[in-house]
Structure formats: structure tokens, C-alpha cells
Amino acid sequence: MTLKPGDLVAAVRKDIRQARRAIRARRSELDEMIARAEAAVEQGRHDVAATSGPETAAAVDGWRELAGEAAPGAASAAWSDWPAEPEPADAGPCLYRVGTAAGDVPALIPLLDTGHLKISGGQTPLADAIVDSLLVRIVATTRPGSVRISLYDPRRLGAGLGGFHALSRPGLLTVYGVEEFKELLGSLDRDIRRIQRDVLGGGHSSLAALAAATSRRPEPWQVVIVQSPVRGFRDDEVAHLNSVMHAGAACGIHVVCRDVPVDDAPGIETVDIAADRRVTTSMTGELEVTVEPPPPELVRAVCERAARWAGIERDPPRFAELVPHRMWSESSAAGVRAPIGEDVDRYEPVEVFLGDDPVHALVGGPPGSGKTNFLYAMIGSMAARYSPEELEFYLLDFKEGVSFARLASGRTDKTWLPHARLIGVNINNDREFGLALLRFLARELERRGAAAREHEVTKLEELRAVDPDGHWPRIVAVVDEFQVLIQQQDKITDESLYLLNDLARRGRSQGIHLVLASQNVGGVQSLWGRGAILDQFTLRIALPKARRILADDNTAALQVARFCAVVNAESGARQANRIARLPDAGTAGTFDALQRELWQRRPEHLEPPRIFDGAHVPELMTAPTLPPGESAVGQRIDLAGSAATVRFDRAPGRNLAVLGTRADEAYDVLAAAVLSLARGHAPGSAVFRLYALDEQLEPRVGLLLRRLLDDGHEATLGGELPEVADRDVPEYLALFAVDAATARSDEMRRSVRRLVEYGPEHRMHVLGWWRTTDRLKADVVERVGSVRNIDSWVALDLRDGELSPLPGGQMLGWTPRRRRALFHDQRTGEPPQPIIPFEVMSETAEGR
Ligand SMILES: Nc1ncnc2c1ncn2[C@@H]1O[C@H](COP(=O)(O)OP(=O)(O)OP(=O)(O)O)[C@@H](O)[C@H]1O
């Protein structure tokens, strides 16, 4: 083709103008370049004026050089010269090549930080090539993640930009369907308002100006490709788009219109594709532009790389960034709000909020995805903002392992998190403890409800206003691997679901928030079928590869990078996804340092959290001393960790049966009962008679005797069983392995039965160990029927059916497990409940 000199000059001039506009923000560094560019134009003008061949060639060279500066590297490189590793342009946006004019001179178009582009004849493959070319150069020359692309392509159902689909993985490309134009514009409107208000509010005219002044760009650019639907756009839609374009450029929103009748306005460049496929641009005037589609594999490679690097090229956020300058300065009256990471698109904090909406949170992530780390980040960030007066944590972990243990005082680190009121670890086998927490929270719900009614208000925020001196913190209960609580079909599951449902529905008004976390799909699915509960958990946090935490059609969690999370406060609806990069909250100097600082600030009167560790065997000596006549048989699995006790008085039936074949534990339970009685009685105020009826037990029972004698008690070992007769002081008969003796001797059996039946009213009490219920029955039941003369029992490895002859022992659903027992005392009126037998053997062995 022939080059018209006038065109060249016009084109060069125009490009200089554009280059200047595009680089205004970084003017000082580039002044020199502009001066040289202007000199080149002058030279071009001079050369063209001469209109001779060599001069024209020189002008073209000068122009090319200028293009190289205004559109460096991948912004204008020919596809054949594409750099192996395109570098993000340090200086920010530049001009981008969309084709070639005048032989091999790059035809450039500005976009980012400048304006918009209108393509007419936009339905053609040529238009596709222009858009692809522009986009791939933009993606290659900007920092991964710093440009987001939205595509409204109603004709091809999202097939447009096929080569760019890798960008959808990290959320850098969003395709809007035929019916979603309004949604797209609405989302742009919201962004514009937010940026104008929150980002530019400080006085900058545009994001470009802000970036120039601060060297920081807090928001990504957005490139929006709009193609008209077959029906054409309605006037109101065009007007809406015009207004978005008008306000958007300053907010980094740049629209590429393909056959959309938007207004011509300054800052809108044009590309015209004529019917005869001749392409011209507003930048190059009359010059015909040859369009060169990018090679598909190049597009794919650029996008793959950007997707991979989005989010990890930037330094990860640091845990310290979650900590505010002023600790404990926030009020939780309306809710608790805390940043947990950085938005990978916008580089701004992502917060979680628990209050009236959302009320509760569901957290999911497969093993190793960083779920525990997320929970630490959230707990730390909240604990730093709200004082223990404002916020309390109840933390349970059903996993094997000790994830919340660090929040409690340990052997080396004595500090504890002041907000933590309860920490439960290793409770995978003690679902009752989870249930105990739910019962506690339900009671707290009632208590708060009653207080609210009394003050004639309906919710916590109002209650706090009318009762400013009351202690009404928000409660956040975090249950890791909560599914363990509700996956079996039994009474615990039934009651837990009932309570969860209640808490989920009513927690909002009383400031009680649940954060349920699970590592497996089953965990989440166990709630999925229970819509009523799930509906209340509108805050969803999905760690990488988490399934079914978000909505069914929201697969963002499958796409996010390591150490990121999808935070979604609208029950997983796609448009509410925010992708947060999470700081490392686990290594030394992060959470532990914060905990130390908060611990040092703790109010003087504050008690450390109650710890329940399912792997820990409680020691009798650590339990409080009981009143005379009361014995401890184990520790209850409740929030207080109180002892399960039996009181021996003159009422009929005040005996104790220990049942089961696990000899060590049976010994421990019986010995604990004896030792705790001995601790409560002053020496001489009770008599202890020990019987080792299986000779293997003699050494151990002997140690127990020694212990009693050492403490000054009146105690004997072995001999005949006494006859029933009134006693001045209580006499406790500890019979180890009763059935071993009664199987040998009927006389023995009759004695035992007499003692059990008539002893208590004469202050003689049997504390006996039988191996099975049948043997117990054979010894203490006169004819047929159930056991009536022993009020309290502790069952070790007995199955459900074997318990039914015992008082209160019907239909319990008890599954025996090691170092756990089922305890019942008829007198309390409570159903049987699991206890943890005390460790006694070592205590007696050491002669303590
Ligand atoms: N944002 C992060 N930055 C750096 N390291 C992290 C981050 N998140 C998690 N990690 C590290 O990854 C590993 C797994 O994290 P974490 O224990 O939180 O995973 P999890 O999902 O709770 O796993 P599991 O359920 O198996 O315990 C840990 O070593 C943790 O320190």
C-alpha cells in the first residue's frame, strides 16, 4: 500500500497525544521520552514535507521507535517476536497494538487509565482478533491479577474469549449471559460508587492520579467487553452504559463496545471495520490497518501464566496486618467484624462479619487446605479488636489433634487467650462434650432472652443499651469437624440437631454466633439435608478445593490458589464471592505473639478458660474434697468438669455397683470412690473394709489399704463379711470382684444380698465390682426382676441391652469405649450419663 505523508504525520501526532495522556500520571520520569517523541514528530513533519522516499522511510523508522517507547515489550511486539517471559510494565499502562499500519508500523490504541474503545462492524472475526490482540497484550503487560475482564457476549453464550478461559479460574474473567446485562451494569455501578466514595474520597480525581501520587494502586483495572444482543440494546440500556463509561474511566473501568450505539465522547477511540473488511482506527486516521489475530497457543500461555501468578506474585498479607493499632477499641453491640486477609483482586482487606446478617458461618476445606489457619486468623483478628467484655469464644475441636490447644496455657507457653471461656480438644470420642456445649449455649440463649424480656427489648444490641452495666458479650462458638456430633443416628445427634436448629434460628437476636467447620463433604452434607439450619449460615468460607460449602453453581473454591479462601456472605451466591489471601497465622511470632500481648492486657479478675481434653485422664487428687459421706466415681463430661458423686446415707439402696470386665478401670472407679470418701471423713469418723475377692487384686487392694491407714483411717482388708447391725459411724464395704466369691459360695452370696438390702439403713454400704449384670442380678435380686437395692452404678464395657435390669438403664444407646463409663444415680432423677473414671492406680502405687 502507499503511504500518504499527511496521514503519517496526523497519526504520529495523535499517538503522541495519546501517549502523553496515558503516561501523564508518571510524567516526571517520562518527560524525557515525551521530549524525544516530540522531536521525532518534528523530524517526521520535516521528512514528510520533503516527500521523498528515503525521508519517508526515516519518518516511519522514527515512528516505530516512538511506538516502541509508548508501547514497550509485549504491548507492541509482533507475535513472532513475542518475549519469552513478558514482564509487567513497571510504569503502568501504555498503548497496545491492535494491528499494523503502513506496512509494518504498529497501530496502537490506548485503553487503561485513558478511556474506552468502540468497534463498529464488531460482529466479525476481525473484531474478535482486535479484541483478543488488545486483551492478550494488556494481560501480558500488567501484573497478574491487576486487570479483571468482564464479557457480555449474548450471541455466543460465553464462547467469546474462549482462549482466555484460564483467567476465570482466579476470577479474572467473568462471563455474563444474555439476561445478565443489568447485573453487569449494576456491579459496575456499585464499583464506581465504592471507588469514588471509599478510594478516591481522599481527593484524587482518578485511580491513575492516586497511583501516581502514592505509587500504589488499590483497585484493579476492569476491562468490560460488550457486544449487543440480537434484539439490539434498548435505549435505557445504552443510556446506562453511557453513564458507566462516563464515570468509569476515572475508576479504572474501560469498556470495549462491539456494535453498541454509545455516544462518541472524548476519550473514546474507535475502530471501524467496513463492509469490505477495511479496518481503520481513530488513532491512525485514513491508514488501513492490517489486523493480526494472536496465535491461540500464545493467548493460552499468557492467560495460564497470569492465572497461576495471580495472587502469589504479591507478598502474602502478614498476620500483623490483621491487628489494629488500638487493641480492644471496638464495640460488639451490633456485631463483630474483623479482617481475615487481603482481596486478591482489589488488594484491600476482606472482612468477616457476624451480627444480625450474617449470623453464623460455615467453613469448609479438605485436610491441609488451611482451615485451622483460617480459624486462627479470624479468632486473632476478632480478639485484637474486641475486649473480653465484648466477645467470648467457645472453641471445640472434634479432630484428633490439638488445634485449639495453643489458646490455652501450656507447659512452655503459659499464656492463654483472654476471650476463650472454653477450649475442648481431642473430643472426637466425647460427643457428649459437644452436646454439653450446645446445651450451655441454649441455656445462655434462654438467659439472655429472659433478660431482654425483662427489659422489654428484643435483641442483644438493645439489651446492652438499656443495661449498660450488664455483661453481655457476643459469643462466638467455633466447632471444628462439627459433623462428628451429628453423623451417627442416636440420641446425641437428635438432641444436637435440635439445639443447633434452635441456636441457628435464635442466636441472631441474642448475639450467639456459631462457626461450624468441616474438612469433608460429608460434614457439610450432614447439614445440607437440614435446610432450616443451613439457611441460617449465610456466611460461607471455602478453602481451596472445598466442596459444597458455597452454592451448587459456585465453583470458585475449586479454582482459588493455595492459602486463599472464598469468603461469601450471601449463602454462596456467585456474585458475592470475595477471594482473600490469608496470612500465615501459625508460625512463631504471629498468633502466639498476639496472644501474649492480649494476655498481658487481660483484666485482673479473669479466670483462664476451662479446658476439656479428651486425651487427658483426670486425677482424683485434682478433684475437690467432698463432704463426709459423698464419694466421687469419675469426672462428668460437662462444661464444668465436675465430679460425678454418690452420697451414702441411711436411705435404702445407697450402695454402688461397678460393672464390667475391664479390671483396671473397675479398680480405679471403686478405689476412687473409697479414697474420695476417705478424704471427706476425718480419721475415725468412718470405717473402711476392703475385700480383694479375686487374689490377683490383692496387691492393689493392699496398696489402697496402706493408703487409708497412712491417712489415719480405721481400715481392714479381707476376712468375713460382717453381719448387718447398727453402726455408730458409716462403714463402707469395698468388694473387689464380688462375683468371683459369690460364684464359689452361696453363703457369701446371701451375705452380700443382706448387706445390699438392709445395710444402708444401718449405715453399712456396699461398693462392689461385678463383671456382668447377670452376675450382679444373681447376687442381689431375690427372685426375678430388676435391681432395686442398688441405687447407683457405673458401667464400663456393658452394651445397651445388658444395662436394662439396672435402675434407669433402659434404652440408652450407649456405646462402650475405653476409659469412659456410664454413670447413674437413681436419686438425681437424671438419665445415665458418661463419665471419665479417675486415674487412681498410679496414685495408690505411689502411695500419695
Ligand atoms: N495462609 C497461609 N500461609 C502460610 N502457611 C499456611 C497458610 N495456611 C496454612 N498454612 C500452612 O499449611 C499447613 C496446613 O494448614 P492447616 O493446618 O491450617 O490446614 P487444615 O486444613 O486445618 O488441615 P487439617 O484439617 O489437616 O489440620 C500448615 O502447615 C499451615 O501452617
Side-chain angles (χ1 to χ4, degrees):
M1 67 162 285
T2 50
L3 177 67
K4 289 195 212 139
D7 286 339
L8 180 59
V9 171
V12 170
R13 258 203 196 137
K14 177 115 200 241
D15 265 29
I16 295 289
R17 260 200 327 272
Q18 296 297 345
R20 213 189 242 161
R21 202 156 61 200
I23 59 185
R24 192 171 292 137
R26 52 197 160 92
R27 176 153 207 154
S28 61
E29 308 137 79
L30 295 173
D31 268 354
E32 200 191 327
M33 180 188 127
I34 292 170
R36 275 196 292 129
E38 276 169 348
V41 174
E42 273 313 302
Q43 183 64 42
R45 192 203 298 277
H46 176 263
D47 292 345
V48 170
T51 60
S52 71
E55 280 88 350
T56 303
V60 170
D61 280 345
W63 199 87
R64 200 177 289 124
E65 192 184 317
L66 174 64
E69 290 186 25
S76 68
W79 303 128
S80 53
D81 290 332
W82 191 256
E85 281 288 353
E87 291 284 335
D90 264 341
C94 53
L95 302 173
Y96 305 98
R97 175 173 179 165
V98 292
T100 307
D104 61 351
V105 178
L108 306 177
I109 296 269
L111 193 73
L112 303 188
D113 277 354
T114 312
H116 311 284
L117 177 65
K118 242 175 102 172
I119 305 177
S120 53
Q123 312 297 350
T124 59
L126 281 176
D128 286 347
I130 289 170
V131 171
D132 286 4
S133 171
L134 183 64
L135 289 183
V136 76
R137 291 179 191 281
I138 288 178
V139 172
T141 53
T142 46
R143 257 210 332 214
S146 64
V147 174
R148 288 193 302 163
I149 301 170
S150 302
L151 170 65
Y152 179 64
D153 186 4
R155 298 184 183 217
R156 285 179 293 178
L157 300 172
L161 295 191
F164 291 75
H165 87 271
L167 295 178
S168 4
R169 261 190 350 247
L172 299 177
L173 168 65
T174 312
V175 178
Y176 289 80
V178 192
E179 302 303 329
E180 294 176 311
F181 191 58
K182 196 164 166 210
E183 194 184 310
L184 166 62
L185 293 180
S187 138
L188 295 171
D189 272 341
R190 279 193 297 281
D191 284 339
I192 290 170
R193 272 202 304 278
R194 182 180 52 76
I195 292 168
Q196 285 172 339
R197 188 191 59 222
D198 297 343
V199 186
L200 301 178
H204 297 285
S205 59
S206 66
L207 283 178
L210 174 99
T214 62
S215 306
R216 213 174 64 85
R217 207 189 153 85
E219 291 282 328
W221 287 282
Q222 298 195 46
V223 177
V224 184
I225 320 284
V226 178
Q227 177 148 0
S228 89
V230 178
R231 64 165 164 84
F233 279 117
R234 293 190 310 269
D235 288 350
D236 62 312
E237 291 172 325
V238 176
H240 195 166
L241 182 59
N242 270 324
S243 79
V244 164
M245 288 168 72
H246 180 69
C251 300
I253 294 174
H254 306 287
V255 182
V256 177
C257 299
R258 300 178 58 169
D259 275 347
V260 186
V262 286
D263 298 342
D264 282 317
I268 301 189
E269 299 298 337
T270 59
V271 172
D272 284 301
I273 304 171
D276 62 0
R277 300 165 55 91
R278 218 175 101 83
V279 178
T280 51
T281 77
S282 53
M283 295 284 294
T284 45
E286 287 304 303
L287 291 181
E288 186 177 344
V289 173
T290 310
V291 175
E292 307 136 332
E297 64 283 4
L298 183 147
V299 174
R300 264 198 304 279
V302 167
C303 294
E304 279 294 343
R305 180 176 184 273
R308 257 196 330 273
W309 286 83
I312 49 169
E313 205 162 68
R314 228 170 118 81
D315 284 344
R318 288 174 310 116
F319 181 78
E321 290 165 25
L322 305 184
V323 178
H325 292 303
R326 281 184 56 222
M327 301 275 191
W328 293 0
S329 58
E330 310 266 336
S331 159
S332 70
V336 284
R337 178 184 295 282
I340 46 84
E342 184 188 68
D343 191 308
V344 296
D345 293 323
R346 301 176 185 160
Y347 306 151
E348 63 187 14
V350 175
E351 294 184 331
V352 293
F353 173 75
L354 294 173
D356 277 2
D357 182 24
V359 191
H360 309 293
L362 200 58
V363 182
S369 61
K371 181 165 51 69
T372 309
N373 184 75
F374 165 80
L375 293 173
Y376 267 92
M378 182 191 78
I379 292 169
S381 184
M382 287 180 174
R385 281 173 173 71
Y386 302 92
S387 73
E389 263 304 301
E390 299 282 330
L391 172 67
E392 289 182 348
F393 287 118
Y394 289 75
L395 306 161
L396 295 194
D397 185 358
F398 275 102
K399 211 173 26 212
E400 275 186 75
V402 286
S403 57
F404 292 136
R406 290 166 45 198
L407 305 180
S409 180
R411 272 210 200 90
T412 47
D413 183 356
K414 298 285 174 216
T415 69
W416 38 273
L417 187 71
H419 308 69
R421 296 294 84 222
L422 173 82
I423 297 174
V425 295
N426 290 314
I427 50 176
N428 45 326
N429 287 326
D430 291 307
R431 296 161 63 231
E432 294 84 2
F433 191 70
L435 184 56
L437 171 67
L438 296 182
R439 285 180 184 150
F440 165 82
L441 294 175
R443 279 197 302 277
E444 182 63 17
L445 199 66
E446 289 306 327
R447 190 178 80 89
R448 292 179 172 210
R453 278 193 298 282
E454 195 173 304
H455 287 90
E456 299 182 338
V457 294
T458 53
K459 58 182 206 172
L460 186 81
E461 190 173 1
E462 299 158 351
L463 177 62
R464 286 179 46 143
V466 295
D467 181 22
D469 298 329
H471 174 64
W472 303 114
R474 285 202 179 253
I475 289 179
V476 174
V478 183
V479 185
D480 200 359
E481 304 309 339
F482 70 93
Q483 76 281 358
V484 172
L485 194 54
I486 55 173
Q487 263 177 339
Q488 297 177 25
Q489 286 200 339
D490 62 8
K491 285 186 177 170
I492 295 182
T493 294
D494 292 347
E495 189 180 345
S496 298
L497 282 171
Y498 172 80
L499 293 171
L500 271 177
N501 192 20
D502 194 35
L503 286 162
R505 279 187 303 107
R506 298 198 294 144
R508 175 198 313 265
S509 41
Q510 308 308 343
I512 296 180
H513 307 277
L514 300 172
V515 177
L516 302 185
S518 179
Q519 63 173 220
N520 65 23
V521 185
V524 186
Q525 266 163 349
S526 58
L527 277 189
W528 218 258
R530 331 226 180 222
I533 300 182
L534 196 66
D535 287 350
Q536 309 294 329
F537 287 75
T538 48
L539 177 59
R540 308 278 170 88
I541 289 128
L543 279 302
K545 307 234 166 9
R547 289 178 183 275
R548 306 217 63 187
I549 286 284
L550 304 170
D552 274 349
D553 64 345
N554 187 349
T555 55
L558 304 180
Q559 297 160 13
V560 292
R562 199 160 155 248
F563 303 153
C564 289
V566 185
V567 177
N568 188 307
E570 293 179 23
S571 303
R574 258 194 313 167
Q575 74 278 4
N577 284 350
R578 294 200 69 186
I579 316 294
R581 283 192 79 195
L582 306 171
D584 180 353
T587 49
T590 58
F591 191 95
D592 55 344
L594 173 68
Q595 175 164 309
R596 173 164 297 277
E597 192 178 340
L598 298 180
W599 180 74
Q600 277 158 354
R601 294 175 70 111
R602 74 195 185 282
E604 226 174 273
H605 58 85
L606 195 69
E607 291 286 321
R610 151 110 178 92
I611 311 298
F612 178 88
D613 180 353
H616 175 74
V617 182
E619 289 175 13
L620 177 65
M621 294 311 288
T622 59
T625 302
L626 297 167
E630 214 164 299
S631 73
V633 293
Q635 190 185 71
R636 290 173 187 266
I637 304 182
D638 63 7
L639 296 207
S642 50
T645 59
V646 178
R647 191 169 164 66
F648 296 98
D649 54 27
R650 283 175 183 266
R654 299 319 290 165
N655 302 300
L656 169 72
V658 179
L659 294 154
T661 58
R662 293 197 303 251
D664 287 354
E665 289 176 41
Y667 170 83
D668 271 356
V669 174
L670 213 47
V674 170
L675 285 172
S676 56
L677 282 166
R679 266 168 80 194
H681 278 288
S685 69
V687 174
F688 296 89
R689 301 204 183 286
L690 312 183
Y691 298 85
L693 301 172
D694 179 335
E695 62 187 30
Q696 283 185 357
L697 289 166
E698 277 171 12
R700 278 193 229 169
V701 182
L703 286 172
L704 189 59
L705 176 76
R706 161 90 53 77
R707 187 71 197 280
L708 295 172
L709 294 172
D710 285 353
D711 287 348
H713 287 290
E714 186 181 340
T716 60
L717 174 59
E720 296 281 298
L721 283 179
E723 285 301 321
V724 176
D726 256 350
R727 295 290 193 263
D728 294 337
V729 293
E731 188 166 306
Y732 302 106
L733 300 134
L735 276 50
F736 291 82
V738 186
D739 47 312
T742 52
R744 291 192 301 263
S745 151
D746 280 347
E747 181 47 38
M748 186 76 173
R749 176 169 288 157
R750 280 193 290 277
S751 294
V752 170
R753 188 172 299 163
R754 273 198 303 278
L755 282 166
V756 164
E757 188 74 33
Y758 307 111
E761 54 208 89
H762 298 282
R763 307 186 85 177
M764 299 175 80
H765 307 277
V766 172
L767 293 75
W769 164 35
W770 285 262
R771 272 163 278 210
T772 67
T773 326
D774 283 346
R775 290 179 177 208
L776 169 74
K777 266 180 71 180
D779 288 352
V780 304
V781 177
E782 185 74 51
R783 286 195 180 82
V784 284
S786 48
V787 177
R788 294 217 173 73
N789 40 20
I790 298 183
D791 274 359
S792 53
W793 48 266
V794 173
L796 295 163
D797 51 356
L798 267 56
R799 305 223 152 254
D800 226 20
E802 298 173 84
L803 297 168
S804 56
L806 301 172
Q810 295 79 37
M811 311 255 301
L812 297 175
W814 164 248
T815 313
R817 52 195 199 263
R818 241 189 64 70
R819 283 232 72 95
R820 296 292 180 270
L822 196 64
F823 164 67
H824 180 63
D825 182 352
Q826 177 88 324
R827 180 178 278 179
T828 61
E830 289 172 16
Q833 53 183 291
I835 58 167
I836 311 175
F838 289 112
E839 172 85 74
V840 175
M841 286 234 299
S842 53
E843 294 183 18
T844 45
E846 285 160 20
R848 285 161 58 185

